[in-house]
Amino acid sequence: MLRNAIVLALTLTVATNAQQPSASRVDKLLASMTLEEKLAQLSQYVPDQPELKPLLQKGLFGSILSGADAAAKNVLQRTAMDGSRLKIPILFGHDVIHGYKTIFPIPLAIASSWDPEMAETSARIGGIEARAGGIHWTFAPMVDIARDARWGRIAEGAGEDPYLGSLMAAAYVRGFHAGGILACAKHFAAYGAAEGGRDYGSTDMSERTLREVYLPPFKAASDAGVDSFMSAFNALNGVPATGSRWLITDILRGEWKFKGFVVSDWTSVTEMIAHGYASDRRHAARLALMAGVDMDMVSNSYGELAADVASGAVPLSVVDTAVRRVLEAKVKAGVFDQPFADESRPAKVMLTPDHRAAARRVAQRSIVLLRNEGNLLPLSRKARTLAVIGKLADSSEDMLGPWAAEGEKEDTISVLAGLRAAAGADNRIVYVPDDRAAALAAARDSDVVIAVLGESRNMSGEAASRTSIELPSDQQQLLEAVVAAGKPVVLVLMSGRPLAIPWAAEHVPAIVNAWFLGTEGGHAVADILFGAVSPSGRLTVTMPRATGQVPIYHAMLRTGRPANETEKYTSKYIDTKIGPLYPFGHGLTYTTFEYSDVRVSAASMARNGSVTASATIRNSGTRAGDEVVQLYVSDPVASTVRPIRELKAFRRLSLAPGEARIVTFPIGASELQLWTPGGWVVEPGRFEVTIGPDASRGMTAAFNVVE
Ligand code: BGC
């Protein structure tokens, strides 16, 4: 696995080095291009788009968005290159979000590992396979912070937290590069904050929230050397992101010094007409290009800019700069020297045993054990009849989750298949998909019921916002029916978002959040249920008690009337309990941990100084296990209302029974600063540091920042 990556990385480096230095190569090309040829480089099409047809033979376009196989891509490449005057090769882009052929867990699940190496591994392997499939560039990672679980695309990102999201963003970029493809941070910006969780909806937020919460993962991707950004569909504070010069030119290129190229989202250029921001296609194209969007995805609008260039409304230098960025990306991806994919390669690299093993390991670490009353899990292997209930249990297709690239259900392990493979000779498995009476009968005859319930894959992802994030009603009824049998029940939840499961949280002793785990998902679930592997995932999204609590997240701003059960006029709902069902950071394992000795190294620090915070963590149970030690910072008095707490660091520990370890975290400006109209500032005053197992628990120590 590693060797494949290294060989490919070397091939790529060699390919790039063997080329002309990109500057002179690109300069020469630019100097010989007509305006039509330049604008063509700024356009991306899908293969079956009618507008592409007349352009294909002449190679008059820059990029194709395609999932087709390597051979089909080679045909397109051959046609375009043979027909084009300057022989500029096509850059092939595709959504390689959580794997290409070997599918990894959805990114929200991977984030639950709290282990950036899992993200990096999935991206590296996705990159290797995608490159073999003829892809040069992925539209990933999606680094949108999502705090509203009604939004279906919460599945594609790392969840609600900017610190964790930033670590994951950088890890994906490193992984895609190691796999040999260009990466794209999307959707810039604040797409995850669409009002009401309605996909494509508008976003209105303070600059402080934008800077502190929504932008950091993008900045982290930029710092990690991401090659491109994708402009978002949404309007942000009245300006469509695709037309926002402030976002794309002032912040991204000006402040962050991003040197790559920017692509629009799918027709987001001409959607500025529906936004009521552009009068027609040409106007939309002008707004987007002038804002800094170098490539138009699918709108086919940039060709219309020739007249604007002639009139001077669009300076030729702006076109040239955009073309230069696109050509530089092609050089960087090695497409000039290796325009054609090696058609013998897919058979060698797709779904190798190593790739599958990696997918299984990532899936194991993505699973979150939410509840385990009476230590029902892990299941004993003694003779038992297991009733497996729910149609999702047998659905390898749903296991793939949204955006599964070239992943196929035939290659994918369902929960039922995983359980069958793992069960001992003495285990009998009885499976009932969805008949309530049969499920009840099977439950009665069993020793343990495993109910696999939740969302189907098409209930999350793009254009899959939901007004209710409770269990779908047929699933809830099935669950209540089997619980009525009185046997121990394990609920395996499949979903692309945190679900509100208040009834289950009270009536079902063991709950395993399995998200959509990809190709090896069923094996990973069985590994956890039978205890071959101890669960170690933690939520990166807060789980609400009811949809009506959404948005709910650990870093909510303080209120003047904090929620209080006994006082009516406080900030809460009259029809549900205060707080989440499961907090951010929550996740159990098969042992327990004790925290003690939380302290800060000094009582005070200078504004530009640093301290360390530490705690002792002991495995107080009888099995080895992993703990994710989390550090939250609070700023009780500030010049602006602050979040109740913010995650600022974490550390994963593997501890043997009885073993204890001291964990130390450095704390400095980046953990303490806040955004003000004048920029980032560390304000003097008292800060509190809480170290604990999730956002709702822990021990606190304090220190002062002094002038
Ligand atoms: C999505 C993007 C995706 C693009 C290309 C759009 O609808 O918003 O995330 O990269 O399609 O498939």
Side-chain angles (χ1 to χ4, degrees), residues 505-571:
E506 211 173 304
H507 298 97
V508 181
I511 306 177
V512 173
N513 209 326
W515 317 105
F516 297 118
L517 292 172
T519 307
E520 289 286 313
H523 285 322
V525 169
D527 292 337
I528 296 287
L529 296 193
F530 286 114
V533 172
S534 292
S536 63
R538 303 288 186 272
L539 294 174
T540 65
V541 279
T542 301
M543 285 185 77
R545 297 172 187 279
T547 308
Q549 284 182 312
V550 167
I552 182 170
Y553 47 94
H554 76 279
M556 287 171 75
L557 295 177
R558 291 162 189 266
T559 146
R561 297 192 180 190
N564 178 330
E565 217 56 89
T566 57
E567 285 179 49
K568 177 171 166 69
Y569 294 97
T570 60
S571 183

Side-chain angles (χ1 to χ4, degrees), residues 397-688:
E397 175 159 9
D398 287 299
M399 185 58 94
L400 290 167
W403 292 109
E406 300 303 296
E408 287 179 76
K409 63 176 188 222
E410 290 73 17
D411 298 320
T412 303
I413 312 297
S414 69
V415 174
L416 185 61
L419 289 172
R420 284 198 170 125
D426 299 333
N427 294 121
R428 195 168 74 89
I429 292 183
V430 178
Y431 172 56
V432 180
D434 51 10
D435 182 279
R436 245 180 283 164
L440 179 59
R444 281 207 178 107
D445 286 347
S446 72
D447 298 300
V448 173
V449 180
I450 300 172
V452 184
L453 305 171
E455 299 183 311
S456 57
R457 71 188 288 210
N458 57 15
M459 288 170 79
S460 74
E462 188 175 351
S465 299
R466 295 181 62 201
T467 59
S468 158
I469 60 167
E470 277 71 27
L471 264 186
S473 61
D474 60 325
Q475 306 276 290
Q476 178 68 28
Q477 286 163 12
L478 196 56
L479 181 63
E480 292 183 19
V482 295
V483 167
K487 294 295 169 68
V489 177
V490 179
L491 170 61
V492 175
L493 267 185
M494 285 173 62
S495 72
R497 52 163 63 79
L499 296 178
I501 48 158
W503 190 91
E506 211 173 304
H507 298 97
V508 181
I511 306 177
V512 173
N513 209 326
W515 317 105
F516 297 118
L517 292 172
T519 307
E520 289 286 313
H523 285 322
V525 169
D527 292 337
I528 296 287
L529 296 193
F530 286 114
V533 172
S534 292
S536 63
R538 303 288 186 272
L539 294 174
T540 65
V541 279
T542 301
M543 285 185 77
R545 297 172 187 279
T547 308
Q549 284 182 312
V550 167
I552 182 170
Y553 47 94
H554 76 279
M556 287 171 75
L557 295 177
R558 291 162 189 266
T559 146
R561 297 192 180 190
N564 178 330
E565 217 56 89
T566 57
E567 285 179 49
K568 177 171 166 69
Y569 294 97
T570 60
S571 183
K572 62 182 190 224
Y573 298 94
I574 57 170
D575 53 2
T576 193
K577 282 194 200 150
I578 292 169
L581 191 58
Y582 296 111
F584 175 85
H586 172 72
L588 306 171
T589 183
Y590 296 149
T591 186
T592 49
F593 299 95
E594 276 173 15
Y595 285 66
S596 59
D597 296 330
V598 171
R599 44 181 80 142
V600 178
S601 60
S604 65
M605 68 170 252
R607 275 192 202 219
N608 60 356
S610 64
V611 291
T612 59
S614 60
T616 303
I617 291 89
R618 195 173 75 87
N619 181 342
S620 49
T622 54
R623 290 173 67 114
D626 278 16
E627 175 67 331
V628 177
V629 182
Q630 300 161 36
L631 178 141
Y632 295 87
V633 170
S634 310
D635 183 354
V637 182
S639 63
T640 172
V641 173
R642 299 304 299 153
I644 299 166
R645 65 185 86 72
E646 292 173 280
L647 178 75
K648 290 296 177 182
F650 62 86
R651 188 84 40 79
R652 173 183 282 276
L653 296 181
S654 298
L655 296 178
E659 189 184 352
R661 210 169 303 161
I662 297 173
V663 177
T664 304
F665 299 99
I667 296 181
S670 52
E671 285 72 35
L672 306 176
Q673 67 192 6
L674 56 87
W675 176 263
T676 68
W680 294 102
V681 175
V682 176
E683 294 185 347
R686 184 165 178 269
F687 284 85
E688 291 171 359

